[in-house]
Amino acid sequence: QVQLVESGGGLVQAGGSLRLSCAASGRTFSDYNMAWFRQAPGKVREFVVGIGRNGGSQYYETSVKDRFTISRDNAKSTVYLQMNSLKPEDTAVYYCAALPYYYGLPRTDRSYNDWGQGTQVTVSS
């Protein structure tokens, strides 16, 4: 099992930027594909973006493509989510999740066993 701790959330005005971080421990970080999910009030948790173990494969949900960028630093066991041009509809609790690389990068949250505690992102209009 890998332990995950997110940070970097906060309150930002529409059009602003935030950078989320997710620090991993407990296992070899480069053996895991990583993903960010989010859950808005009253909605199901949804896939935002995923990244392969070496960073070469990235998959974005359509509404965040060209605004969000995922990256990872395996030496620091950390994955990042740079969020630009934020919109009020991006308001949610953001979670990072880990999955051993041989399971691929599914977009369903039930496929992931390891989760962080979440970090709140609030975008005001």
Side-chain angles (χ1 to χ4, degrees):
Q1 186 176 6
V2 60
Q3 289 76 48
L4 303 171
V5 179
E6 301 100 333
S7 60
L11 173 64
V12 64
Q13 288 189 331
S17 298
L18 281 174
R19 188 193 195 204
L20 306 183
S21 299
C22 173
S25 62
R27 288 290 188 268
T28 302
F29 184 64
S30 59
D31 285 344
Y32 287 80
N33 293 340
M34 300 296 296
W36 287 95
F37 286 76
R38 66 186 179 187
Q39 187 167 21
K43 295 189 177 182
V44 299
R45 189 158 50 184
E46 64 174 1
F47 176 87
V48 177
V49 60
I51 187 168
R53 62 188 299 207
N54 295 319
S57 300
Q58 299 178 14
Y59 302 95
Y60 291 85
E61 192 269 331
T62 302
S63 68
V64 307
K65 198 172 183 180
D66 299 328
R67 298 190 298 122
F68 291 10
T69 302
I70 191 171
S71 61
R72 64 189 294 163
D73 185 337
N74 285 348
K76 295 182 178 180
S77 298
T78 302
V79 62
Y80 305 97
L81 182 61
Q82 177 67 45
M83 304 186 295
N84 299 329
S85 302
L86 282 161
K87 304 175 180 180
E89 51 263 44
D90 294 318
T91 294
V93 178
Y94 283 71
Y95 299 89
C96 67
L99 191 66
Y101 70 91
Y102 40 82
Y103 290 119
L105 265 174
R107 287 163 170 75
T108 53
D109 60 352
R110 63 180 180 271
S111 299
Y112 294 79
N113 290 326
D114 297 320
W115 293 87
Q117 82 288 352
T119 186
Q120 176 70 48
V121 171
T122 303
V123 185
S124 63
S125 56

XYZ file of all heavy atoms in Angstrom, residues 18-114:
781
model
N -3.570 27.336 -9.545
C -3.138 26.632 -8.349
C -2.287 25.455 -8.779
O -2.475 24.904 -9.867
C -4.330 26.109 -7.535
C -5.104 27.074 -6.642
C -6.317 26.375 -6.049
C -4.231 27.654 -5.557
N -1.392 25.055 -7.889
C -0.583 23.858 -8.130
C -0.769 22.905 -6.959
O -0.438 23.247 -5.830
C 0.890 24.211 -8.274
C 1.752 23.041 -8.724
C 3.217 23.356 -8.547
N 4.087 22.437 -9.260
C 5.356 22.198 -8.921
N 5.886 22.812 -7.877
N 6.086 21.363 -9.629
N -1.315 21.752 -7.270
C -1.488 20.716 -6.258
C -0.289 19.775 -6.272
O 0.297 19.517 -7.326
C -2.765 19.919 -6.514
C -4.069 20.709 -6.641
C -5.242 19.748 -6.809
C -4.273 21.634 -5.473
N 0.031 19.257 -5.114
C 1.082 18.264 -4.984
C 0.525 17.052 -4.262
O -0.389 17.164 -3.432
C 2.263 18.821 -4.187
O 2.840 19.933 -4.814
N 1.085 15.901 -4.575
C 0.711 14.669 -3.895
C 2.002 13.905 -3.615
O 2.654 13.436 -4.555
C -0.240 13.852 -4.748
S -0.609 12.204 -4.088
N 2.352 13.818 -2.352
C 3.572 13.134 -1.942
C 3.245 11.697 -1.552
O 2.318 11.448 -0.779
C 4.215 13.865 -0.766
N 4.019 10.785 -2.086
C 3.787 9.356 -1.853
C 4.892 8.779 -0.984
O 6.041 9.224 -0.999
C 3.729 8.618 -3.179
N 4.530 7.750 -0.250
C 5.503 7.026 0.567
C 5.023 5.600 0.756
O 3.847 5.286 0.548
C 5.690 7.709 1.925
O 4.480 7.717 2.662
N 5.946 4.740 1.128
C 5.582 3.380 1.471
C 5.880 2.335 0.431
O 5.968 1.154 0.751
N 5.992 2.762 -0.810
C 6.291 1.821 -1.886
C 7.191 2.532 -2.903
O 7.441 3.727 -2.816
C 5.005 1.350 -2.578
C 4.152 0.396 -1.754
C 4.797 -0.965 -1.607
N 3.916 -1.942 -0.987
C 3.878 -2.174 0.319
N 4.668 -1.511 1.128
N 3.057 -3.085 0.793
N 7.665 1.776 -3.881
C 8.473 2.364 -4.937
C 7.571 3.176 -5.851
O 6.740 2.616 -6.573
C 9.201 1.286 -5.741
O 10.017 0.519 -4.844
C 10.066 1.914 -6.813
N 7.731 4.488 -5.797
C 6.804 5.386 -6.489
C 6.754 5.111 -7.985
O 5.676 5.150 -8.597
C 7.239 6.826 -6.221
C 6.331 7.874 -6.787
C 5.027 7.995 -6.340
C 6.787 8.754 -7.766
C 4.182 8.965 -6.852
C 5.955 9.735 -8.278
C 4.649 9.839 -7.815
N 7.877 4.800 -8.579
C 7.912 4.600 -10.032
C 7.237 3.297 -10.466
O 7.130 3.035 -11.664
C 9.351 4.642 -10.543
O 10.132 3.646 -9.909
N 6.775 2.501 -9.554
C 6.007 1.303 -9.885
C 4.511 1.602 -10.012
O 3.723 0.685 -10.270
C 6.187 0.219 -8.817
C 7.547 -0.463 -8.908
O 8.211 -0.325 -9.962
O 7.939 -1.118 -7.926
N 4.149 2.867 -9.831
C 2.737 3.235 -9.801
C 2.395 4.256 -10.868
O 3.128 5.228 -11.078
C 2.365 3.817 -8.436
C 2.288 2.780 -7.354
C 3.447 2.310 -6.741
C 1.067 2.242 -6.961
C 3.383 1.340 -5.756
C 0.994 1.275 -5.974
C 2.162 0.822 -5.382
O 2.090 -0.144 -4.409
N 1.273 4.013 -11.531
C 0.616 5.067 -12.287
C -0.161 5.914 -11.289
O -0.642 5.422 -10.268
C -0.335 4.470 -13.328
C 0.403 3.714 -14.421
O 1.593 3.918 -14.641
N -0.312 2.841 -15.102
N -0.287 7.186 -11.601
C -0.930 8.123 -10.683
C -2.067 8.851 -11.391
O -2.015 9.102 -12.595
C 0.083 9.148 -10.170
C 1.263 8.562 -9.421
S 0.780 7.733 -7.899
C 0.125 9.124 -6.955
N -3.068 9.209 -10.619
C -4.213 9.927 -11.193
C -4.726 10.959 -10.196
O -4.529 10.839 -8.980
C -5.331 8.959 -11.553
N -5.366 11.972 -10.745
C -6.104 12.950 -9.948
C -7.596 12.782 -10.265
O -7.987 12.698 -11.428
C -5.678 14.369 -10.277
C -4.328 14.753 -9.749
C -3.141 14.697 -10.423
C -4.013 15.264 -8.448
N -2.117 15.124 -9.612
C -2.636 15.491 -8.396
C -4.786 15.560 -7.314
C -1.990 15.989 -7.269
C -4.152 16.064 -6.187
C -2.766 16.269 -6.170
N -8.376 12.745 -9.209
C -9.835 12.747 -9.299
C -10.343 13.983 -8.550
O -9.616 14.596 -7.768
C -10.424 11.490 -8.647
C -10.250 10.229 -9.447
C -9.020 9.586 -9.512
C -11.314 9.673 -10.143
C -8.855 8.422 -10.237
C -11.172 8.509 -10.870
C -9.936 7.885 -10.916
N -11.590 14.294 -8.771
C -12.206 15.374 -8.006
C -13.662 15.052 -7.731
O -14.294 14.301 -8.480
C -12.091 16.715 -8.735
C -12.863 16.806 -10.045
C -12.561 18.127 -10.737
N -13.274 18.244 -12.017
C -13.097 19.224 -12.879
N -12.215 20.210 -12.613
N -13.781 19.257 -14.002
N -14.154 15.625 -6.647
C -15.549 15.419 -6.284
C -16.150 16.739 -5.835
O -15.728 17.319 -4.826
C -15.688 14.376 -5.174
C -17.123 14.005 -4.878
C -17.229 12.767 -4.006
O -16.294 12.394 -3.305
N -18.383 12.110 -4.066
N -17.111 17.198 -6.608
C -17.833 18.412 -6.275
C -19.016 18.059 -5.375
O -19.478 16.914 -5.380
C -18.321 19.090 -7.553
N -19.529 19.019 -4.620
C -20.655 18.741 -3.733
C -21.843 18.163 -4.488
O -22.252 18.704 -5.524
C -20.989 20.121 -3.153
C -19.707 20.869 -3.218
C -19.039 20.391 -4.476
N -22.361 17.056 -3.995
C -23.529 16.434 -4.598
C -23.260 15.654 -5.874
O -24.202 15.188 -6.522
N -21.984 15.515 -6.217
C -21.642 14.807 -7.462
C -20.732 13.619 -7.152
O -20.123 13.530 -6.090
C -20.955 15.761 -8.439
C -21.858 16.887 -8.920
C -21.209 17.671 -10.041
C -22.131 18.739 -10.583
N -21.522 19.487 -11.716
N -20.641 12.728 -8.110
C -19.759 11.578 -7.941
C -18.325 12.010 -8.195
O -18.062 13.029 -8.856
C -20.163 10.426 -8.895
C -21.566 9.955 -8.594
C -20.040 10.848 -10.348
N -17.412 11.233 -7.681
C -15.991 11.515 -7.905
C -15.657 11.190 -9.362
O -16.033 10.136 -9.873
C -15.148 10.676 -6.946
C -13.690 11.028 -6.935
C -12.999 10.595 -5.653
N -13.249 9.216 -5.288
C -12.808 8.655 -4.166
N -12.102 9.379 -3.297
N -13.064 7.394 -3.907
N -14.970 12.110 -10.002
C -14.686 11.943 -11.419
C -13.194 12.019 -11.699
O -12.433 12.710 -11.009
C -15.407 13.013 -12.248
C -14.952 14.427 -11.983
C -15.583 15.443 -12.939
O -16.383 15.040 -13.802
O -15.253 16.633 -12.808
N -12.795 11.316 -12.740
C -11.415 11.315 -13.214
C -11.072 12.679 -13.803
O -11.864 13.261 -14.549
C -11.248 10.217 -14.265
C -9.902 10.151 -14.917
C -8.877 9.422 -14.354
C -9.665 10.808 -16.112
C -7.630 9.338 -14.959
C -8.429 10.741 -16.734
C -7.414 9.999 -16.160
N -9.887 13.180 -13.473
C -9.411 14.447 -14.037
C -8.255 14.208 -15.004
O -8.296 14.637 -16.154
C -8.968 15.416 -12.921
C -8.406 16.709 -13.517
C -10.132 15.715 -11.980
N -7.240 13.504 -14.519
C -6.058 13.280 -15.345
C -5.244 12.144 -14.740
O -5.285 11.927 -13.526
C -5.219 14.577 -15.441
C -4.759 15.033 -14.067
C -4.028 14.405 -16.368
N -4.519 11.422 -15.595
C -3.650 10.355 -15.121
C -2.306 10.419 -15.818
O -2.183 10.979 -16.913
N -1.311 9.822 -15.172
C 0.044 9.831 -15.723
C 0.684 8.483 -15.478
O 0.534 7.879 -14.410
C 0.874 10.976 -15.112
C 2.227 11.119 -15.801
C 1.040 10.791 -13.597
C 2.969 12.422 -15.437
N 1.408 7.996 -16.497
C 2.077 6.729 -16.387
C 3.289 6.785 -15.471
O 3.735 7.853 -15.061
N 3.830 5.637 -15.178
C 4.890 5.518 -14.187
C 6.124 6.348 -14.523
O 6.803 6.821 -13.604
C 5.273 4.041 -14.030
C 5.803 3.434 -15.291
C 6.006 1.936 -15.217
N 6.944 1.519 -14.208
C 7.660 0.398 -14.261
N 7.520 -0.405 -15.305
N 8.484 0.061 -13.305
N 6.415 6.513 -15.786
C 7.572 7.289 -16.198
C 7.212 8.670 -16.732
O 8.088 9.386 -17.212
C 8.360 6.522 -17.254
C 8.958 5.247 -16.688
O 9.458 5.232 -15.565
N 8.885 4.161 -17.439
N 5.942 9.008 -16.677
C 5.507 10.333 -17.116
C 5.224 10.445 -18.596
O 4.742 11.470 -19.063
N 5.507 9.380 -19.349
C 5.359 9.483 -20.791
C 3.927 9.420 -21.273
O 3.600 9.932 -22.346
N 3.063 8.799 -20.528
C 1.655 8.684 -20.909
C 0.821 9.567 -20.001
O 0.925 9.487 -18.776
C 1.194 7.232 -20.770
O 1.946 6.381 -21.600
N -0.008 10.401 -20.628
C -0.879 11.289 -19.863
C -2.253 11.294 -20.504
O -2.369 11.332 -21.735
C -0.301 12.707 -19.827
C 1.064 12.798 -19.172
C 1.639 14.200 -19.184
O 0.944 15.168 -19.441
N 2.921 14.319 -18.876
N -3.274 11.270 -19.675
C -4.642 11.242 -20.167
C -5.450 12.278 -19.389
O -5.491 12.245 -18.167
C -5.247 9.850 -19.995
C -4.445 8.789 -20.699
C -3.481 8.051 -20.021
C -4.619 8.550 -22.053
C -2.722 7.099 -20.661
C -3.859 7.596 -22.708
C -2.913 6.876 -22.003
O -2.159 5.929 -22.652
N -6.112 13.153 -20.131
C -6.845 14.265 -19.540
C -8.336 14.132 -19.808
O -8.758 13.765 -20.916
C -6.365 15.597 -20.112
C -4.963 15.988 -19.702
C -3.861 15.524 -20.411
C -4.748 16.813 -18.602
C -2.573 15.872 -20.018
C -3.466 17.166 -18.212
C -2.386 16.687 -18.928
O -1.119 17.037 -18.543
N -9.106 14.463 -18.808
C -10.536 14.627 -19.025
C -10.730 15.851 -19.914
O -9.997 16.840 -19.812
C -11.221 14.794 -17.673
C -12.738 14.685 -17.703
C -13.413 16.021 -17.904
O -12.840 17.035 -17.484
O -14.496 16.045 -18.505
N -11.711 15.785 -20.783
C -11.857 16.781 -21.834
C -11.952 18.209 -21.298
O -11.327 19.131 -21.846
C -13.090 16.475 -22.697
O -12.951 15.164 -23.248
C -13.228 17.485 -23.825
N -12.678 18.404 -20.205
C -12.936 19.763 -19.733
C -11.703 20.430 -19.139
O -11.699 21.652 -18.945
C -14.061 19.758 -18.693
O -13.641 19.116 -17.503
N -10.648 19.678 -18.857
C -9.455 20.280 -18.257
C -8.273 20.298 -19.213
O -7.241 20.919 -18.909
C -9.050 19.564 -16.946
C -10.217 19.490 -15.987
C -8.472 18.176 -17.219
N -8.413 19.608 -20.309
C -7.323 19.577 -21.271
C -7.019 20.998 -21.719
O -7.911 21.809 -21.932
C -7.714 18.702 -22.467
C -6.542 18.261 -23.302
C -6.980 17.241 -24.349
C -5.787 16.746 -25.133
N -6.174 15.757 -26.158
N -5.748 21.316 -21.857
C -5.252 22.649 -22.246
C -5.287 23.644 -21.099
O -4.825 24.779 -21.255
C -6.032 23.230 -23.433
C -5.932 22.379 -24.681
O -4.876 21.739 -24.868
O -6.902 22.333 -25.452
N -5.832 23.264 -19.947
C -5.791 24.144 -18.769
C -4.993 23.514 -17.625
O -4.326 24.230 -16.871
C -7.211 24.434 -18.266
C -8.082 25.170 -19.269
C -9.384 25.637 -18.631
N -10.186 24.506 -18.151
C -10.575 24.377 -16.886
N -10.232 25.272 -15.966
N -11.323 23.336 -16.525
N -5.071 22.203 -17.484
C -4.380 21.497 -16.416
C -3.200 20.728 -16.991
O -3.263 20.240 -18.120
C -5.314 20.503 -15.735
C -6.428 21.106 -14.916
C -6.715 22.471 -14.951
C -7.206 20.299 -14.107
C -7.738 23.014 -14.190
C -8.237 20.819 -13.328
C -8.501 22.182 -13.390
N -2.147 20.589 -16.188
C -0.981 19.811 -16.592
C -0.537 18.934 -15.428
O -0.307 19.435 -14.329
C 0.177 20.721 -17.011
O -0.246 21.574 -18.073
C 1.370 19.885 -17.476
N -0.430 17.650 -15.697
C 0.060 16.726 -14.691
C 1.533 16.460 -14.954
O 1.992 16.434 -16.100
C -0.751 15.407 -14.695
C -0.423 14.559 -13.467
C -0.544 14.636 -15.984
C -1.332 13.346 -13.296
N 2.276 16.271 -13.883
C 3.685 15.910 -13.994
C 4.065 15.109 -12.749
O 3.304 15.073 -11.772
C 4.573 17.152 -14.133
O 4.450 17.989 -12.986
N 5.212 14.489 -12.820
C 5.669 13.730 -11.669
C 7.189 13.814 -11.568
O 7.872 13.961 -12.586
C 5.221 12.264 -11.744
C 5.786 11.463 -12.877
C 5.095 10.094 -12.977
N 5.394 9.254 -11.816
C 4.698 8.168 -11.482
N 3.651 7.818 -12.214
N 5.050 7.444 -10.438
N 7.664 13.703 -10.349
C 9.090 13.664 -10.067
C 9.333 12.385 -9.272
O 9.065 12.337 -8.065
C 9.512 14.903 -9.277
C 11.010 14.993 -9.058
O 11.680 13.942 -9.114
O 11.506 16.094 -8.827
N 9.809 11.366 -9.943
C 9.977 10.077 -9.267
C 11.056 10.137 -8.193
O 10.996 9.392 -7.213
C 10.281 8.985 -10.288
C 9.044 8.580 -11.081
O 7.915 8.937 -10.730
N 9.255 7.853 -12.169
N 12.023 11.011 -8.365
C 13.071 11.144 -7.344
C 12.506 11.712 -6.048
O 13.026 11.428 -4.960
C 14.190 12.036 -7.860
N 11.443 12.504 -6.158
C 10.803 13.086 -4.979
C 9.517 12.359 -4.593
O 8.832 12.782 -3.660
C 10.502 14.570 -5.227
C 11.739 15.424 -5.404
C 11.370 16.890 -5.586
C 12.622 17.751 -5.723
N 12.290 19.187 -5.909
N 9.172 11.316 -5.360
C 7.942 10.555 -5.085
C 6.729 11.468 -4.998
O 5.886 11.347 -4.091
C 8.073 9.743 -3.785
O 9.109 8.803 -3.876
N 6.641 12.365 -5.954
C 5.576 13.366 -5.922
C 4.969 13.536 -7.304
O 5.689 13.537 -8.304
C 6.117 14.711 -5.411
O 6.675 14.539 -4.106
C 5.014 15.766 -5.353
N 3.669 13.698 -7.321
C 2.965 14.032 -8.554
C 2.324 15.404 -8.360
O 1.899 15.760 -7.257
C 1.909 12.958 -8.921
C 0.837 12.833 -7.852
C 1.299 13.224 -10.283
N 2.284 16.156 -9.445
C 1.801 17.538 -9.402
C 0.630 17.715 -10.357
O 0.525 17.016 -11.372
C 2.912 18.508 -9.785
C 4.166 18.377 -8.968
C 5.252 17.639 -9.430
C 4.276 18.989 -7.718
C 6.407 17.506 -8.682
C 5.431 18.873 -6.958
C 6.485 18.126 -7.449
O 7.633 18.003 -6.694
N -0.208 18.680 -10.028
C -1.268 19.087 -10.939
C -1.263 20.604 -11.003
O -1.651 21.282 -10.052
C -2.634 18.575 -10.473
C -3.797 18.914 -11.403
C -3.586 18.282 -12.778
C -5.130 18.463 -10.809
N -0.792 21.118 -12.127
C -0.809 22.562 -12.366
C -2.147 22.912 -13.007
O -2.479 22.390 -14.072
C 0.345 22.974 -13.278
C 0.364 24.453 -13.627
C 0.646 25.335 -12.426
O 1.536 25.046 -11.639
N -0.105 26.418 -12.279
N -2.887 23.776 -12.356
C -4.220 24.141 -12.831
C -4.238 25.620 -13.174
O -4.035 26.470 -12.291
C -5.266 23.834 -11.757
C -5.252 22.387 -11.285
S -6.581 21.982 -10.146
C -6.145 23.027 -8.764
N -4.444 25.919 -14.432
C -4.506 27.298 -14.917
C -5.905 27.614 -15.429
O -6.706 26.704 -15.678
C -3.481 27.509 -16.035
C -2.056 27.283 -15.586
O -1.705 27.510 -14.433
N -1.221 26.820 -16.505
N -6.186 28.877 -15.592
C -7.472 29.332 -16.119
C -8.631 28.662 -15.394
O -9.574 28.143 -16.003
C -7.560 29.044 -17.626
O -6.505 29.666 -18.318
N -8.557 28.669 -14.094
C -9.559 27.969 -13.291
C -10.937 28.591 -13.444
O -11.082 29.812 -13.608
C -9.136 27.961 -11.824
C -8.058 26.915 -11.494
C -7.348 27.248 -10.191
C -8.667 25.533 -11.444
N -11.937 27.730 -13.378
C -13.330 28.122 -13.527
C -14.097 27.724 -12.259
O -13.693 26.777 -11.569
C -13.948 27.416 -14.736
C -13.212 27.635 -16.038
C -13.826 26.805 -17.151
C -13.089 27.010 -18.465
N -13.683 26.198 -19.557
N -15.201 28.393 -11.991
C -16.001 28.002 -10.812
C -16.394 26.526 -10.828
O -16.464 25.901 -9.760
C -17.216 28.922 -10.912
C -16.695 30.140 -11.596
C -15.710 29.631 -12.609
N -16.603 25.974 -12.008
C -16.987 24.557 -12.085
C -15.842 23.609 -11.758
O -16.039 22.396 -11.670
C -17.573 24.226 -13.464
C -16.722 24.674 -14.634
C -17.174 26.016 -15.200
O -17.467 26.954 -14.401
O -17.216 26.147 -16.447
N -14.641 24.139 -11.578
C -13.518 23.309 -11.118
C -13.534 23.138 -9.600
O -12.723 22.370 -9.064
C -12.190 23.931 -11.536
C -11.985 23.947 -13.044
O -12.307 22.935 -13.696
O -11.489 24.976 -13.558
N -14.422 23.841 -8.929
C -14.511 23.736 -7.475
C -14.850 22.313 -7.057
O -15.841 21.733 -7.519
C -15.578 24.704 -6.935
O -15.152 26.048 -7.173
C -15.791 24.500 -5.436
N -14.014 21.748 -6.203
C -14.190 20.353 -5.781
C -13.104 20.010 -4.773
O -12.148 20.775 -4.577
C -14.091 19.411 -6.974
N -13.250 18.851 -4.162
C -12.147 18.256 -3.422
C -11.360 17.410 -4.414
O -11.935 16.587 -5.136
C -12.642 17.384 -2.254
C -11.460 16.730 -1.544
C -13.456 18.224 -1.279
N -10.076 17.650 -4.455
C -9.205 16.943 -5.393
C -8.433 15.858 -4.642
O -7.848 16.111 -3.576
C -8.240 17.920 -6.062
C -8.897 18.735 -7.138
C -9.827 19.730 -6.830
C -8.630 18.501 -8.484
C -10.467 20.462 -7.818
C -9.253 19.236 -9.488
C -10.167 20.206 -9.143
O -10.803 20.924 -10.130
N -8.444 14.663 -5.221
C -7.793 13.507 -4.633
C -6.744 12.957 -5.594
O -6.987 12.886 -6.805
C -8.802 12.386 -4.376
C -9.913 12.726 -3.424
C -11.095 13.290 -3.892
C -9.800 12.450 -2.069
C -12.135 13.585 -3.020
C -10.837 12.737 -1.188
C -11.995 13.304 -1.680
O -13.026 13.592 -0.816
N -5.629 12.528 -5.058
C -4.711 11.749 -5.885
C -4.892 10.278 -5.535
O -5.301 9.916 -4.418
C -3.259 12.200 -5.733
S -2.516 11.901 -4.141
N -4.597 9.445 -6.515
C -4.772 8.011 -6.379
C -3.617 7.308 -7.073
O -3.058 7.822 -8.052
C -6.106 7.576 -6.982
N -3.284 6.130 -6.571
C -2.171 5.360 -7.117
C -2.632 3.961 -7.474
O -3.500 3.378 -6.796
C -1.036 5.291 -6.085
N -2.026 3.439 -8.535
C -2.351 2.091 -8.990
C -1.089 1.470 -9.566
O -0.401 2.129 -10.360
C -3.445 2.161 -10.065
C -4.097 0.849 -10.469
C -4.888 0.260 -9.301
C -5.011 1.069 -11.671
N -0.758 0.243 -9.206
C 0.408 -0.399 -9.815
C 0.354 -0.302 -11.333
O -0.714 -0.467 -11.945
C 0.315 -1.843 -9.321
C -0.379 -1.729 -8.005
C -1.382 -0.625 -8.198
N 1.485 -0.060 -11.956
C 1.535 0.313 -13.369
C 0.919 -0.737 -14.289
O 0.362 -0.399 -15.337
C 2.978 0.583 -13.792
C 3.848 -0.650 -13.861
C 3.973 -1.364 -15.040
C 4.543 -1.090 -12.741
C 4.772 -2.497 -15.099
C 5.332 -2.217 -12.786
C 5.443 -2.927 -13.967
O 6.217 -4.048 -14.024
N 0.956 -2.001 -13.890
C 0.472 -3.063 -14.780
C -1.055 -3.103 -14.861
O -1.614 -3.857 -15.650
C 1.021 -4.431 -14.357
C 1.079 -4.672 -12.874
C -0.034 -5.083 -12.155
C 2.273 -4.479 -12.190
C 0.042 -5.300 -10.785
C 2.361 -4.680 -10.809
C 1.242 -5.089 -10.115
O 1.325 -5.293 -8.768
N -1.745 -2.278 -14.082
C -3.192 -2.177 -14.193
C -3.630 -1.060 -15.140
O -4.830 -0.853 -15.342
C -3.820 -1.962 -12.819
C -3.749 -3.164 -11.908
C -3.058 -3.091 -10.701
C -4.362 -4.350 -12.252
C -2.983 -4.187 -9.855
C -4.287 -5.461 -11.418
C -3.598 -5.371 -10.224
O -3.524 -6.460 -9.402
N -2.674 -0.353 -15.697
C -3.025 0.720 -16.612
C -3.481 1.973 -15.881
O -3.100 2.217 -14.741
N -4.294 2.789 -16.570
C -4.791 4.048 -16.033
C -6.306 4.118 -16.222
O -6.801 4.864 -17.066
C -4.110 5.229 -16.729
C -2.899 5.833 -16.047
C -2.251 6.889 -16.926
C -3.263 6.437 -14.694
N -7.038 3.370 -15.445
C -8.498 3.411 -15.583
C -9.065 4.749 -15.127
O -8.454 5.458 -14.315
C -8.967 2.273 -14.677
C -7.868 2.094 -13.689
C -6.606 2.423 -14.408
N -10.226 5.078 -15.634
C -10.869 6.341 -15.294
C -11.961 6.175 -14.238
O -12.654 7.142 -13.915
C -11.443 6.976 -16.556
C -10.367 7.542 -17.476
C -10.892 7.787 -18.884
N -9.964 8.524 -19.718
C -8.872 8.023 -20.255
N -8.545 6.772 -20.030
N -8.096 8.770 -21.031
N -12.086 4.991 -13.690
C -13.096 4.726 -12.668
C -12.429 4.687 -11.302
O -11.428 3.998 -11.102
C -13.813 3.411 -12.938
O -12.821 2.375 -13.089
C -14.626 3.489 -14.211
N -13.015 5.396 -10.354
C -12.367 5.500 -9.045
C -12.324 4.157 -8.311
O -11.404 3.909 -7.532
C -13.014 6.584 -8.181
C -14.482 6.335 -7.902
O -15.073 5.399 -8.501
O -15.065 7.082 -7.087
N -13.261 3.288 -8.585
C -13.284 2.016 -7.868
C -12.106 1.113 -8.253
O -11.840 0.117 -7.578
C -14.588 1.274 -8.127
C -14.828 0.867 -9.558
C -16.150 0.125 -9.712
N -16.414 -0.282 -11.073
C -17.041 0.483 -11.945
N -17.463 1.690 -11.586
N -17.244 0.057 -13.174
N -11.393 1.476 -9.315
C -10.229 0.699 -9.735
C -9.000 0.969 -8.875
O -8.024 0.230 -8.930
C -9.902 0.997 -11.201
O -10.975 0.641 -12.049
N -9.039 2.040 -8.091
C -7.879 2.469 -7.321
C -8.064 2.107 -5.848
O -9.130 2.322 -5.284
C -7.672 3.980 -7.450
C -7.301 4.409 -8.842
C -8.274 4.533 -9.841
C -5.994 4.708 -9.175
C -7.933 4.915 -11.124
C -5.648 5.100 -10.457
C -6.621 5.204 -11.426
O -6.272 5.596 -12.698
N -7.003 1.597 -5.253
C -7.064 1.227 -3.846
C -6.436 2.258 -2.926
O -6.793 2.347 -1.754
C -6.344 -0.109 -3.630
C -7.108 -1.267 -4.241
O -8.336 -1.263 -4.250
N -6.396 -2.241 -4.755
N -5.478 3.015 -3.447
C -4.724 3.933 -2.600
C -5.106 5.374 -2.924
O -4.972 5.798 -4.076
C -3.223 3.719 -2.789
C -2.787 2.324 -2.369
O -3.305 1.847 -1.345
O -1.947 1.734 -3.055
